[in-house]
Amino acid sequence: MGSKDNAKRTLERQHFDTFLQLSKQSFDEVSFGEPPEPDVVAWRASEQIGVEITSFHRRSQKRDESEQTVVVDRAAELYKRAGAPNVGVHVMWAPHYEIKKRARQPLARDLALVVARHVPRKGMWTNLSWQNFNHLLMSAIDHVTVDRLIEYRESFWTVDGGGVVPTWSTDSVQAEIDRKNQKPRRYRERYAEVWLLLVSAFGAPSAWMEVSDEVRNSRFKSAFDRIYLLSSFPFDVFELNTSSN
């Protein structure tokens, strides 16, 4: 199994653990299946329940977040190679700035350089903005926070995110269900029930969605026996009303 598959499996475990805690669901045993099995197989007595997990993201925003992370990770590596002091770095990108592939390396280089030039004293922190940036960084980055408030054992660089939290619509929920509706047919006969866990993860702004009364009260067409929504706003689990396709 590759590192990407391992990361996906770890994230699924985290989401499922959160689902169990918030929903107060319990099982005698849980295992994580291999394809073509569902993501989770859970046992209650002699019954097996298959659980398919899918994470929601607004696709274009997710791509932007991935590009931002690539650049910040490269900048962190360049900073480390320079032998500069260990710091905590939080990068807030400018709204609506789209990173082009050819700009990845120049952005990473300039970001590493500007942080190295403004390392605060021990126990201090600094906020860098347009006054500290060259023309390229002015266009791309809103601000960068650099801190040495604690004695970091190694540098820690991350992308900060923010924005308006949209509201789920019934159409957007149904579209996510439709993406997975073929899955149960592959393995339904093996399980007493097949569930779908739809995750709106808190960690990335591209996944943020607020659950509306419309979604709570609507009925969705589904091939799954049950559908649960693990919501970021509010941080809770909701069982959706469903009817057969």
Side-chain angles (χ1 to χ4, degrees):
M1 184 181 293
S3 59
K4 186 174 181 180
D5 290 331
N6 284 330
K8 179 177 181 292
R9 188 60 51 85
T10 298
L11 190 59
E12 287 171 350
R13 288 176 183 269
Q14 293 172 352
H15 289 329
F16 193 71
D17 286 344
T18 302
F19 162 72
L20 292 178
Q21 292 170 13
L22 292 176
S23 67
K24 309 252 187 304
Q25 296 274 356
S26 63
F27 298 97
D28 300 322
E29 185 180 349
V30 172
S31 71
F32 287 76
E34 299 290 344
E37 298 290 336
D39 298 312
V40 178
V41 179
W43 283 264
R44 282 181 179 153
S46 61
E47 288 190 343
Q48 294 184 69
I49 296 172
V51 184
E52 195 70 36
I53 301 176
T54 184
S55 294
F56 168 79
H57 288 277
R58 286 177 293 281
R59 307 300 175 199
S60 61
Q61 190 173 354
K62 177 64 174 175
R63 286 193 295 270
D64 290 343
E65 290 168 355
S66 296
E67 286 290 334
Q68 292 167 4
T69 299
V70 166
V71 170
V72 169
D73 286 349
R74 289 187 182 183
E77 182 60 31
L78 292 170
Y79 180 89
K80 181 179 179 179
R81 290 180 195 171
N86 291 337
V87 289
V89 180
H90 301 267
V91 180
M92 177 67 81
W93 291 83
H96 312 302
Y97 179 80
E98 183 179 348
I99 299 171
K100 305 296 184 183
K101 286 187 178 181
R102 65 179 179 273
R104 287 175 180 170
Q105 196 61 27
L107 283 166
R109 179 198 63 221
D110 292 353
L111 182 55
L113 285 172
V114 78
V115 170
R117 288 173 183 151
H118 296 89
V119 173
R121 295 192 302 273
K122 287 184 178 180
M124 303 293 288
W125 68 278
T126 188
N127 195 60
L128 309 178
S129 57
W130 65 270
Q131 298 97 326
N132 311 108
F133 297 157
N134 63 14
H135 180 73
L136 179 60
L137 293 182
M138 278 184 195
S139 302
I141 293 175
D142 183 89
H143 66 270
V144 178
T145 302
V146 186
D147 83 74
R148 296 181 73 191
L149 294 170
I150 62 174
E151 191 71 32
Y152 285 100
R153 300 179 70 175
E154 59 182 24
S155 288
F156 175 78
W157 291 57
T158 187
V159 177
D160 283 352
V164 175
V165 179
T167 300
W168 281 103
S169 68
T170 55
D171 288 344
S172 58
V173 174
Q174 185 65 62
E176 291 300 307
I177 295 170
D178 290 344
R179 289 178 56 240
K180 293 289 185 174
N181 259 339
Q182 298 300 317
K183 290 275 189 176
R185 296 186 178 91
R186 301 181 189 176
Y187 42 69
R188 174 173 292 283
E189 68 276 4
R190 305 178 203 173
Y191 302 102
E193 290 186 347
V194 181
W195 297 359
L196 175 64
L197 176 58
L198 176 58
V199 179
S200 167
F202 185 80
S206 62
W208 292 354
M209 292 293 271
E210 184 173 5
V211 178
S212 63
D213 289 338
E214 177 192 26
V215 165
R216 297 185 201 193
N217 297 325
S218 293
R219 188 167 296 274
F220 297 93
K221 294 180 180 179
S222 170
F224 293 88
D225 297 293
R226 295 189 179 189
I227 298 180
Y228 292 93
L229 174 58
L230 174 54
S231 165
S232 48
F233 295 90
F235 188 44
D236 207 346
V237 171
F238 300 90
E239 183 173 5
L240 303 181
N241 299 313
T242 62
S243 60
S244 299
N245 274 342

